[in-house]
Amino acid sequence: MTFRYLLASTAMTLAAASLATEAIAQKSKNTVRIGYYDPISMVDATYDPKPETGLTSGSVYDNLIAFDRKSSKFMPLLAKSWSRVSPKIIEFKLRDDVKFHDGSEFDADDVVYTINWMADPKVKFRIKSRYFWIDKAEKVDKYTVRVHSKRPQASALMRLAISTPIYPSDVHAALQVKSTFGRNGIGTGPYKVVSVDPNNGVVLEKNTNYKHGNLAKPAGSVDRVHMRPIPETQTQIAQMLTGGLDMMYRVPKDQIDAMKSDPRFKVTVQKGQLFYYMAIDSIGK
């Protein structure tokens, strides 16, 4: 059965309401239809870091590790284990049974290339500050990588788990304009990119070879995902009520309260992550 979700966000929480019926399941044909507000021109949150792109990017690409929000614990993903070699070095043992969506093998070369490219001072993109702490990524062997930080970094694991997707080195390195990668992004995640169109939206299909998921990032449960650009909130709500959408997010609280009173909807709450930095004037400036 296909579930429909109504999502709303506040500063620190994400609330979701779900609705399911037999008729809607037949109409959707195992496809989740999601409404979003800003057009998406690529599936790559590195070059387009906004919530709409994040929803798709997180489904297409994997990180070295995952963070489980319910248990507040890090879990293996592309890396099956990790250890801190020194205050500035974390070593990752990688899985040897993962392939990218194009069938190519995942290994240490992809991790080293991606992290070093993101940390390269010559590479420019928004929110580059996410990677200022990285000194370099080093290949130990085919399935072992060490990530060196410039200094001890408290947020290192969280950055690697949340904002450091791993790209296929051969494909990404061959592109003269890296921002075009997301038009047909290739990852190892639970969903593959079918099409990206600013007018029609983004279509993803289930990666049936996704075997390395966990509670923090499970395998896909529906065959297809279609994200449709609908800029007005009221239009999205109308589409939800009439069966044109299965999911929406960033809904104003008053609308959530109104929808919550409808017995067809169920509301749940999930926390998100934000990074806060506090500078202490230790030298009396």
Side-chain angles (χ1 to χ4, degrees):
M1 181 175 291
T2 300
F3 286 88
R4 302 177 63 213
Y5 296 88
L6 178 66
L7 302 184
S9 62
T10 62
M12 293 299 292
T13 64
L14 187 68
S18 63
L19 167 67
T21 68
E22 291 291 344
I24 291 172
Q26 290 177 350
K27 184 176 181 180
S28 296
K29 297 180 180 179
N30 209 21
T31 297
V32 170
R33 299 156 299 172
I34 307 173
Y36 62 87
Y37 302 98
D38 295 327
I40 297 177
S41 60
M42 66 182 74
V43 180
D44 188 353
T46 300
Y47 275 104
D48 192 18
K50 60 185 179 185
E52 290 82 0
T53 312
L55 282 173
T56 55
S57 183
S59 299
V60 172
Y61 312 107
D62 284 326
N63 296 43
L64 285 173
I65 56 178
F67 181 73
D68 181 37
R69 297 180 182 184
K70 291 184 178 180
S71 64
S72 296
K73 293 180 179 179
F74 293 103
M75 294 186 174
L77 203 55
L78 290 177
K80 59 185 180 181
S81 64
W82 59 95
S83 59
R84 188 169 287 279
V85 177
S86 75
K88 297 192 293 184
I89 301 175
I90 306 174
E91 183 174 279
F92 295 89
K93 296 291 185 180
L94 308 179
R95 296 182 65 105
D96 60 4
D97 58 351
V98 176
K99 290 186 176 181
F100 286 97
H101 297 154
D102 62 354
S104 60
E105 184 183 28
F106 159 79
D107 59 25
D109 290 334
D110 304 299
V111 178
V112 170
Y113 165 79
T114 303
I115 293 177
N116 285 340
W117 175 78
M118 289 178 171
D120 187 346
K122 296 179 182 178
V123 175
K124 306 297 182 183
F125 51 79
R126 287 182 60 193
I127 319 184
K128 178 75 176 185
S129 58
R130 290 174 174 174
Y131 311 103
F132 284 168
W133 61 274
I134 297 174
D135 180 22
K136 64 178 180 179
E138 171 194 14
K139 177 181 178 180
V140 178
D141 58 43
K142 188 174 183 179
Y143 295 109
T144 306
V145 170
R146 288 184 173 184
V147 177
H148 299 248
S149 60
K150 296 176 182 177
R151 60 191 66 84
Q153 184 74 16
S155 62
L157 283 179
M158 188 64 80
R159 279 299 182 200
L160 293 172
I162 299 297
S163 53
T164 312
I166 302 301
Y167 303 141
S169 56
D170 293 344
V171 175
H172 197 272
L175 294 173
Q176 289 188 332
V177 182
K178 307 302 184 188
S179 59
T180 62
F181 173 70
R183 295 177 186 173
N184 188 26
I186 298 171
T188 59
Y191 284 90
K192 304 178 182 180
V193 175
V194 174
S195 62
V196 179
D197 186 323
N199 296 315
N200 184 52
V202 176
V203 178
L204 308 177
E205 69 177 11
K206 184 179 178 180
N207 175 15
T208 57
N209 294 320
Y210 193 75
K211 310 298 183 184
H212 55 280
N214 52 43
L215 290 175
K217 191 169 187 179
S221 59
V222 295
D223 291 340
R224 291 171 74 87
V225 177
H226 184 189
M227 295 191 66
R228 296 173 49 198
I230 304 176
E232 294 83 17
T233 300
Q234 292 301 325
T235 304
Q236 289 197 29
I237 290 175
Q239 287 288 309
M240 285 286 295
L241 293 172
T242 58
L245 285 180
D246 302 299
M247 180 176 180
M248 63 182 293
Y249 70 101
R250 245 168 57 195
V251 183
K253 185 179 183 301
D254 61 330
Q255 296 288 351
I256 279 287
D257 291 340
M259 299 290 279
K260 185 171 59 175
S261 64
D262 190 320
R264 298 174 299 169
F265 289 83
K266 176 183 177 182
V267 177
T268 58
V269 177
Q270 178 176 302
K271 295 181 179 179
Q273 284 95 31
L274 292 174
F275 288 88
Y276 291 92
Y277 296 91
M278 179 176 68
I280 299 176
D281 183 9
S282 61
I283 58 176
K285 287 186 177 180

mmCIF file of all heavy atoms in Angstrom, residues 45-79:
data_model
loop_
_atom_site.group_PDB
_atom_site.id
_atom_site.type_symbol
_atom_site.label_atom_id
_atom_site.label_comp_id
_atom_site.label_asym_id
_atom_site.label_seq_id
_atom_site.Cartn_x
_atom_site.Cartn_y
_atom_site.Cartn_z
ATOM 1 N N ALA A 45 23.173 18.036 -3.944
ATOM 2 C CA ALA A 45 23.066 19.065 -2.909
ATOM 3 C C ALA A 45 24.370 19.824 -2.694
ATOM 4 O O ALA A 45 24.376 20.843 -2.009
ATOM 5 C CB ALA A 45 22.614 18.438 -1.590
ATOM 6 N N THR A 46 25.476 19.350 -3.266
ATOM 7 C CA THR A 46 26.728 20.095 -3.158
ATOM 8 C C THR A 46 26.621 21.411 -3.910
ATOM 9 O O THR A 46 27.017 22.468 -3.409
ATOM 10 C CB THR A 46 27.904 19.257 -3.715
ATOM 11 O OG1 THR A 46 28.005 18.045 -2.963
ATOM 12 C CG2 THR A 46 29.209 20.031 -3.612
ATOM 13 N N TYR A 47 26.077 21.374 -5.114
ATOM 14 C CA TYR A 47 25.936 22.582 -5.916
ATOM 15 C C TYR A 47 24.578 23.246 -5.769
ATOM 16 O O TYR A 47 24.398 24.388 -6.172
ATOM 17 C CB TYR A 47 26.187 22.259 -7.394
ATOM 18 C CG TYR A 47 27.650 22.282 -7.764
ATOM 19 C CD1 TYR A 47 28.362 21.107 -7.951
ATOM 20 C CD2 TYR A 47 28.332 23.490 -7.915
ATOM 21 C CE1 TYR A 47 29.710 21.121 -8.284
ATOM 22 C CE2 TYR A 47 29.680 23.522 -8.246
ATOM 23 C CZ TYR A 47 30.363 22.339 -8.427
ATOM 24 O OH TYR A 47 31.701 22.360 -8.750
ATOM 25 N N ASP A 48 23.612 22.558 -5.206
ATOM 26 C CA ASP A 48 22.279 23.133 -5.031
ATOM 27 C C ASP A 48 21.758 22.780 -3.639
ATOM 28 O O ASP A 48 20.850 21.966 -3.487
ATOM 29 C CB ASP A 48 21.343 22.588 -6.108
ATOM 30 C CG ASP A 48 20.025 23.340 -6.170
ATOM 31 O OD1 ASP A 48 19.962 24.462 -5.639
ATOM 32 O OD2 ASP A 48 19.066 22.800 -6.746
ATOM 33 N N PRO A 49 22.358 23.382 -2.595
ATOM 34 C CA PRO A 49 22.044 22.993 -1.213
ATOM 35 C C PRO A 49 20.749 23.606 -0.683
ATOM 36 O O PRO A 49 20.754 24.573 0.059
ATOM 37 C CB PRO A 49 23.262 23.506 -0.430
ATOM 38 C CG PRO A 49 23.699 24.715 -1.204
ATOM 39 C CD PRO A 49 23.413 24.415 -2.658
ATOM 40 N N LYS A 50 19.618 23.038 -1.085
ATOM 41 C CA LYS A 50 18.328 23.492 -0.572
ATOM 42 C C LYS A 50 17.495 22.266 -0.210
ATOM 43 O O LYS A 50 17.808 21.147 -0.636
ATOM 44 C CB LYS A 50 17.619 24.371 -1.601
ATOM 45 C CG LYS A 50 17.323 23.687 -2.920
ATOM 46 C CD LYS A 50 16.743 24.683 -3.913
ATOM 47 C CE LYS A 50 16.462 24.033 -5.262
ATOM 48 N NZ LYS A 50 16.003 25.013 -6.266
ATOM 49 N N PRO A 51 16.441 22.434 0.581
ATOM 50 C CA PRO A 51 15.687 21.271 1.061
ATOM 51 C C PRO A 51 15.176 20.367 -0.053
ATOM 52 O O PRO A 51 15.202 19.145 0.074
ATOM 53 C CB PRO A 51 14.527 21.914 1.834
ATOM 54 C CG PRO A 51 15.065 23.226 2.289
ATOM 55 C CD PRO A 51 15.961 23.694 1.184
ATOM 56 N N GLU A 52 14.697 20.971 -1.151
ATOM 57 C CA GLU A 52 14.156 20.160 -2.242
ATOM 58 C C GLU A 52 15.210 19.220 -2.813
ATOM 59 O O GLU A 52 14.956 18.043 -3.065
ATOM 60 C CB GLU A 52 13.602 21.068 -3.351
ATOM 61 C CG GLU A 52 12.337 21.811 -2.991
ATOM 62 C CD GLU A 52 12.581 23.077 -2.184
ATOM 63 O OE1 GLU A 52 13.759 23.384 -1.907
ATOM 64 O OE2 GLU A 52 11.611 23.747 -1.825
ATOM 65 N N THR A 53 16.411 19.751 -3.038
ATOM 66 C CA THR A 53 17.489 18.928 -3.578
ATOM 67 C C THR A 53 17.954 17.911 -2.544
ATOM 68 O O THR A 53 18.318 16.783 -2.886
ATOM 69 C CB THR A 53 18.673 19.802 -4.023
ATOM 70 O OG1 THR A 53 18.187 20.886 -4.823
ATOM 71 C CG2 THR A 53 19.664 19.008 -4.848
ATOM 72 N N GLY A 54 17.936 18.305 -1.277
ATOM 73 C CA GLY A 54 18.359 17.388 -0.225
ATOM 74 C C GLY A 54 17.501 16.141 -0.152
ATOM 75 O O GLY A 54 18.001 15.046 0.115
ATOM 76 N N LEU A 55 16.193 16.281 -0.408
ATOM 77 C CA LEU A 55 15.302 15.126 -0.379
ATOM 78 C C LEU A 55 15.699 14.089 -1.423
ATOM 79 O O LEU A 55 15.664 12.885 -1.172
ATOM 80 C CB LEU A 55 13.860 15.565 -0.623
ATOM 81 C CG LEU A 55 13.115 16.198 0.549
ATOM 82 C CD1 LEU A 55 11.768 16.727 0.091
ATOM 83 C CD2 LEU A 55 12.921 15.190 1.673
ATOM 84 N N THR A 56 16.074 14.571 -2.611
ATOM 85 C CA THR A 56 16.457 13.636 -3.677
ATOM 86 C C THR A 56 17.898 13.172 -3.519
ATOM 87 O O THR A 56 18.196 11.986 -3.668
ATOM 88 C CB THR A 56 16.287 14.305 -5.051
ATOM 89 O OG1 THR A 56 17.038 15.533 -5.099
ATOM 90 C CG2 THR A 56 14.832 14.620 -5.315
ATOM 91 N N SER A 57 18.787 14.097 -3.201
ATOM 92 C CA SER A 57 20.212 13.760 -3.107
ATOM 93 C C SER A 57 20.461 12.684 -2.057
ATOM 94 O O SER A 57 21.254 11.756 -2.272
ATOM 95 C CB SER A 57 21.021 15.022 -2.779
ATOM 96 O OG SER A 57 22.397 14.753 -2.748
ATOM 97 N N GLY A 58 19.796 12.783 -0.930
ATOM 98 C CA GLY A 58 19.988 11.802 0.130
ATOM 99 C C GLY A 58 19.508 10.408 -0.246
ATOM 100 O O GLY A 58 19.947 9.414 0.344
ATOM 101 N N SER A 59 18.606 10.333 -1.233
ATOM 102 C CA SER A 59 18.124 9.031 -1.691
ATOM 103 C C SER A 59 19.020 8.417 -2.756
ATOM 104 O O SER A 59 19.049 7.199 -2.918
ATOM 105 C CB SER A 59 16.703 9.169 -2.261
ATOM 106 O OG SER A 59 15.802 9.625 -1.280
ATOM 107 N N VAL A 60 19.756 9.254 -3.477
ATOM 108 C CA VAL A 60 20.576 8.780 -4.596
ATOM 109 C C VAL A 60 22.002 8.445 -4.159
ATOM 110 O O VAL A 60 22.587 7.467 -4.632
ATOM 111 C CB VAL A 60 20.603 9.839 -5.721
ATOM 112 C CG1 VAL A 60 21.601 9.467 -6.819
ATOM 113 C CG2 VAL A 60 19.201 9.996 -6.306
ATOM 114 N N TYR A 61 22.568 9.229 -3.246
ATOM 115 C CA TYR A 61 23.960 9.036 -2.836
ATOM 116 C C TYR A 61 24.036 8.516 -1.400
ATOM 117 O O TYR A 61 23.163 8.785 -0.581
ATOM 118 C CB TYR A 61 24.737 10.360 -2.935
ATOM 119 C CG TYR A 61 24.539 11.073 -4.240
ATOM 120 C CD1 TYR A 61 23.766 12.233 -4.297
ATOM 121 C CD2 TYR A 61 25.095 10.600 -5.419
ATOM 122 C CE1 TYR A 61 23.558 12.898 -5.497
ATOM 123 C CE2 TYR A 61 24.904 11.255 -6.618
ATOM 124 C CZ TYR A 61 24.123 12.406 -6.655
ATOM 125 O OH TYR A 61 23.921 13.058 -7.852
ATOM 126 N N ASP A 62 25.107 7.804 -1.123
ATOM 127 C CA ASP A 62 25.399 7.346 0.233
ATOM 128 C C ASP A 62 26.611 8.076 0.789
ATOM 129 O O ASP A 62 27.469 8.542 0.030
ATOM 130 C CB ASP A 62 25.707 5.839 0.248
ATOM 131 C CG ASP A 62 24.465 4.989 0.108
ATOM 132 O OD1 ASP A 62 23.404 5.390 0.615
ATOM 133 O OD2 ASP A 62 24.562 3.908 -0.518
ATOM 134 N N ASN A 63 26.698 8.120 2.096
ATOM 135 C CA ASN A 63 27.875 8.634 2.788
ATOM 136 C C ASN A 63 28.664 7.465 3.352
ATOM 137 O O ASN A 63 28.217 6.326 3.318
ATOM 138 C CB ASN A 63 27.448 9.586 3.907
ATOM 139 C CG ASN A 63 26.740 10.821 3.370
ATOM 140 O OD1 ASN A 63 25.909 10.739 2.482
ATOM 141 N ND2 ASN A 63 27.053 11.967 3.925
ATOM 142 N N LEU A 64 29.818 7.745 3.902
ATOM 143 C CA LEU A 64 30.607 6.682 4.523
ATOM 144 C C LEU A 64 29.846 6.037 5.675
ATOM 145 O O LEU A 64 29.840 4.811 5.835
ATOM 146 C CB LEU A 64 31.936 7.242 5.037
ATOM 147 C CG LEU A 64 32.994 7.543 3.986
ATOM 148 C CD1 LEU A 64 34.185 8.256 4.626
ATOM 149 C CD2 LEU A 64 33.458 6.257 3.310
ATOM 150 N N ILE A 65 29.184 6.849 6.469
ATOM 151 C CA ILE A 65 28.414 6.366 7.610
ATOM 152 C C ILE A 65 27.071 7.082 7.624
ATOM 153 O O ILE A 65 26.862 8.057 6.893
ATOM 154 C CB ILE A 65 29.157 6.600 8.947
ATOM 155 C CG1 ILE A 65 29.518 8.087 9.107
ATOM 156 C CG2 ILE A 65 30.405 5.738 9.020
ATOM 157 C CD1 ILE A 65 30.206 8.415 10.415
ATOM 158 N N ALA A 66 26.153 6.593 8.424
ATOM 159 C CA ALA A 66 24.841 7.211 8.562
ATOM 160 C C ALA A 66 24.611 7.570 10.023
ATOM 161 O O ALA A 66 25.203 6.972 10.921
ATOM 162 C CB ALA A 66 23.753 6.256 8.079
ATOM 163 N N PHE A 67 23.736 8.557 10.239
ATOM 164 C CA PHE A 67 23.382 8.940 11.599
ATOM 165 C C PHE A 67 21.920 8.625 11.833
ATOM 166 O O PHE A 67 21.044 9.120 11.120
ATOM 167 C CB PHE A 67 23.640 10.431 11.829
ATOM 168 C CG PHE A 67 23.326 10.888 13.232
ATOM 169 C CD1 PHE A 67 24.165 10.537 14.286
ATOM 170 C CD2 PHE A 67 22.213 11.656 13.502
ATOM 171 C CE1 PHE A 67 23.885 10.952 15.586
ATOM 172 C CE2 PHE A 67 21.920 12.074 14.789
ATOM 173 C CZ PHE A 67 22.764 11.717 15.833
ATOM 174 N N ASP A 68 21.645 7.769 12.802
ATOM 175 C CA ASP A 68 20.279 7.384 13.134
ATOM 176 C C ASP A 68 19.689 8.397 14.105
ATOM 177 O O ASP A 68 20.144 8.500 15.252
ATOM 178 C CB ASP A 68 20.267 5.983 13.750
ATOM 179 C CG ASP A 68 18.856 5.526 14.082
ATOM 180 O OD1 ASP A 68 17.937 5.840 13.305
ATOM 181 O OD2 ASP A 68 18.671 4.867 15.119
ATOM 182 N N ARG A 69 18.680 9.117 13.666
ATOM 183 C CA ARG A 69 18.126 10.193 14.480
ATOM 184 C C ARG A 69 17.368 9.674 15.700
ATOM 185 O O ARG A 69 17.290 10.352 16.713
ATOM 186 C CB ARG A 69 17.203 11.053 13.618
ATOM 187 C CG ARG A 69 17.925 11.747 12.475
ATOM 188 C CD ARG A 69 16.986 12.585 11.647
ATOM 189 N NE ARG A 69 17.681 13.208 10.530
ATOM 190 C CZ ARG A 69 17.111 14.053 9.684
ATOM 191 N NH1 ARG A 69 15.836 14.374 9.827
ATOM 192 N NH2 ARG A 69 17.798 14.584 8.692
ATOM 193 N N LYS A 70 16.813 8.479 15.601
ATOM 194 C CA LYS A 70 16.046 7.954 16.733
ATOM 195 C C LYS A 70 16.949 7.551 17.888
ATOM 196 O O LYS A 70 16.649 7.828 19.050
ATOM 197 C CB LYS A 70 15.204 6.764 16.271
ATOM 198 C CG LYS A 70 14.069 7.151 15.343
ATOM 199 C CD LYS A 70 13.205 5.949 14.994
ATOM 200 C CE LYS A 70 12.040 6.366 14.104
ATOM 201 N NZ LYS A 70 11.179 5.203 13.760
ATOM 202 N N SER A 71 18.048 6.899 17.568
ATOM 203 C CA SER A 71 18.956 6.442 18.624
ATOM 204 C C SER A 71 20.111 7.404 18.866
ATOM 205 O O SER A 71 20.865 7.241 19.815
ATOM 206 C CB SER A 71 19.531 5.071 18.261
ATOM 207 O OG SER A 71 20.329 5.146 17.085
ATOM 208 N N SER A 72 20.251 8.421 17.977
ATOM 209 C CA SER A 72 21.370 9.370 18.040
ATOM 210 C C SER A 72 22.719 8.644 17.989
ATOM 211 O O SER A 72 23.654 8.979 18.716
ATOM 212 C CB SER A 72 21.289 10.239 19.304
ATOM 213 O OG SER A 72 20.131 11.046 19.273
ATOM 214 N N LYS A 73 22.798 7.637 17.109
ATOM 215 C CA LYS A 73 24.023 6.868 16.957
ATOM 216 C C LYS A 73 24.461 6.832 15.496
ATOM 217 O O LYS A 73 23.630 6.882 14.594
ATOM 218 C CB LYS A 73 23.821 5.429 17.452
ATOM 219 C CG LYS A 73 23.584 5.313 18.948
ATOM 220 C CD LYS A 73 23.405 3.852 19.344
ATOM 221 C CE LYS A 73 23.184 3.717 20.848
ATOM 222 N NZ LYS A 73 22.992 2.283 21.237
ATOM 223 N N PHE A 74 25.781 6.746 15.287
ATOM 224 C CA PHE A 74 26.315 6.562 13.947
ATOM 225 C C PHE A 74 26.238 5.080 13.581
ATOM 226 O O PHE A 74 26.447 4.207 14.429
ATOM 227 C CB PHE A 74 27.761 7.046 13.869
ATOM 228 C CG PHE A 74 27.901 8.529 14.029
ATOM 229 C CD1 PHE A 74 28.342 9.074 15.235
ATOM 230 C CD2 PHE A 74 27.581 9.386 12.993
ATOM 231 C CE1 PHE A 74 28.466 10.440 15.394
ATOM 232 C CE2 PHE A 74 27.696 10.762 13.133
ATOM 233 C CZ PHE A 74 28.137 11.297 14.331
ATOM 234 N N MET A 75 25.954 4.801 12.309
ATOM 235 C CA MET A 75 25.835 3.434 11.834
ATOM 236 C C MET A 75 26.653 3.248 10.565
ATOM 237 O O MET A 75 26.870 4.203 9.812
ATOM 238 C CB MET A 75 24.368 3.087 11.562
ATOM 239 C CG MET A 75 23.497 3.057 12.791
ATOM 240 S SD MET A 75 21.824 2.472 12.399
ATOM 241 C CE MET A 75 21.133 2.379 14.070
ATOM 242 N N PRO A 76 27.109 2.033 10.292
ATOM 243 C CA PRO A 76 27.870 1.771 9.066
ATOM 244 C C PRO A 76 27.017 2.007 7.821
ATOM 245 O O PRO A 76 25.796 1.848 7.859
ATOM 246 C CB PRO A 76 28.246 0.295 9.183
ATOM 247 C CG PRO A 76 28.072 -0.047 10.631
ATOM 248 C CD PRO A 76 26.966 0.840 11.134
ATOM 249 N N LEU A 77 27.652 2.392 6.730
ATOM 250 C CA LEU A 77 26.953 2.508 5.456
ATOM 251 C C LEU A 77 27.913 2.044 4.357
ATOM 252 O O LEU A 77 28.083 0.852 4.168
ATOM 253 C CB LEU A 77 26.452 3.936 5.225
ATOM 254 C CG LEU A 77 25.282 4.050 4.235
ATOM 255 C CD1 LEU A 77 24.101 3.185 4.624
ATOM 256 C CD2 LEU A 77 24.849 5.486 4.065
ATOM 257 N N LEU A 78 28.598 2.978 3.683
ATOM 258 C CA LEU A 78 29.635 2.556 2.742
ATOM 259 C C LEU A 78 30.862 2.046 3.488
ATOM 260 O O LEU A 78 31.616 1.221 2.976
ATOM 261 C CB LEU A 78 30.008 3.706 1.811
ATOM 262 C CG LEU A 78 28.940 4.104 0.784
ATOM 263 C CD1 LEU A 78 29.402 5.294 -0.039
ATOM 264 C CD2 LEU A 78 28.566 2.940 -0.115
ATOM 265 N N ALA A 79 31.072 2.563 4.681
ATOM 266 C CA ALA A 79 32.134 2.037 5.552
ATOM 267 C C ALA A 79 31.501 1.053 6.535
ATOM 268 O O ALA A 79 30.481 1.355 7.154
ATOM 269 C CB ALA A 79 32.806 3.170 6.311
#
